[in-house]
Amino acid sequence: MTDAHVHIGWFVDRYHSPDDVTVMLRNAGVDTIAVSSTSTCAEEYDLVIHEMSWLQEEWADNCYPFLWVTPKMIETNAIDKMLDSGVNWQGIKMHWQSHPQFFYDESLVDRVIKDSRLSHLPVLLHTGLFPECHAAVFDRLIRMNPDRQFILAHGRPNDESLALLSKYHNTFVDTAFMEVSDIASYVKSGLDKRILFGSDCPITEHFGHKDTTEYLKSRIDWLQIHFSNDISDDVLTNNFKRLYLTKAVGESQSYIESAESLERT
């Protein structure tokens, strides 16, 4: 079972350590994670490298570290430090609500997207209700990069996110903080193979859900109750595999080909 939206690190005034978060996730039955560090927002690069190195050692191939890129990281060339750190980065994250400079300065985004060292990695984009990060804001970015895989974290607003997934086959959505009715809208639109289970844990503790393990269990149960076994299995496990099957080393593979490959494994 995969959680495609996990965090470790500093958030506001609390530190969520990699070992604590690992225990919470495993106690809920999660065996694979895509994870980024909120310590990045404090530009604590050495700490982020330490956190991700620990997770890689503990989770091995079941850990997919996402490099949370900030404008300062780019402007100071600290991104070179992160890419030379020994962390096996498996994705990129950008959060235009926390870093609205990305919205106002397209050249910063281009420097990330066009960096040859990152060109094979999927891009996780925070979507929300602020004008800088509405899902529709990312239409051009997705359209101009058809060989990249994009994940719309949270899928907000739902109608805009749904429209992008319907329009672009290289786009996925994760379920972090998403209502069951919104998830159902993707299923009804035939997009169930591009929904990724994501929790945003343990940031959920800052929004009223004090027990991360129990919250995760309830979200997993919730999916399994509301959707068929095939759909819940896809959302909880198989679709994350599809995300990475759509990208071979140095070359793109069609979504249909990746789905067929998964069926053979």
Side-chain angles (χ1 to χ4, degrees), residues 27-253:
N27 285 345
V30 174
D31 58 25
T32 302
I33 56 171
V35 56
S36 59
S37 174
T38 46
S39 300
T40 314
C41 294
E43 314 296 341
E44 295 281 357
Y45 307 132
D46 288 332
L47 176 58
V48 172
I49 292 168
H50 173 75
E51 293 166 341
M52 290 301 180
S53 298
W54 188 95
L55 285 171
Q56 277 193 155
E57 184 173 349
E58 178 65 25
W59 289 76
D61 291 341
N62 291 331
C63 175
Y64 290 72
F66 273 55
L67 176 60
W68 190 325
V69 179
T70 69
K72 183 176 180 179
M73 186 186 294
I74 300 165
E75 291 166 344
T76 62
N77 294 317
I79 194 168
D80 296 337
K81 176 187 182 79
M82 305 305 287
L83 294 176
D84 293 336
S85 65
V87 175
N88 184 23
W89 300 107
Q90 296 292 311
I92 306 162
K93 174 171 182 171
M94 288 191 286
H95 198 303
W96 292 16
Q97 180 177 325
S98 295
H99 302 108
Q101 299 98 308
F102 284 126
F103 178 78
Y104 295 104
D105 187 352
E106 191 174 272
S107 67
L108 287 173
V109 180
D110 285 343
R111 286 175 66 179
V112 176
I113 297 298
K114 295 179 180 179
D115 190 320
S116 61
R117 298 167 297 178
L118 303 170
S119 61
H120 61 295
L121 300 179
V123 181
L124 177 67
L125 299 167
H126 171 87
T127 64
L129 302 181
F130 286 77
E132 295 89 353
C133 59
H134 271 219
V137 165
F138 302 111
D139 186 295
R140 182 179 181 277
L141 179 62
I142 295 169
R143 183 178 72 254
M144 297 297 290
N145 296 279
D147 293 332
R148 292 297 282 270
Q149 305 305 314
F150 293 91
I151 307 165
L152 303 178
H154 312 292
R156 298 173 183 156
N158 184 66
D159 59 338
E160 294 181 10
S161 178
L162 182 61
L164 288 180
L165 263 73
S166 299
K167 189 175 180 181
Y168 301 115
H169 289 285
N170 58 328
T171 309
F172 292 72
V173 68
D174 80 33
T175 65
F177 287 107
M178 192 180 283
E179 297 294 332
V180 67
S181 58
D182 290 341
I183 298 174
S185 66
Y186 294 92
V187 174
K188 291 175 182 177
S189 298
L191 299 167
D192 48 284
K193 293 194 181 335
R194 282 191 275 143
I195 308 168
L196 307 176
F197 176 71
S199 68
D200 216 347
C201 289
I203 305 307
T204 46
E205 294 180 3
H206 298 263
F207 295 91
H209 305 287
K210 298 302 182 185
D211 189 321
T212 292
T213 296
E214 290 306 311
Y215 175 74
L216 275 165
K217 287 180 178 178
S218 68
R219 292 285 287 184
I220 293 165
D221 289 346
W222 183 70
L223 280 169
Q224 293 171 332
I225 290 168
H226 285 90
F227 300 103
S228 69
N229 289 341
D230 286 347
I231 290 175
S232 59
D233 286 349
D234 277 346
V235 173
L236 291 167
T237 302
N238 296 330
N239 292 344
F240 189 76
K241 296 177 183 177
R242 288 188 176 94
L243 170 68
Y244 281 91
L245 281 171
T246 54
K247 223 24 172 171
V249 177
E251 59 187 40
S252 61
Q253 183 182 30

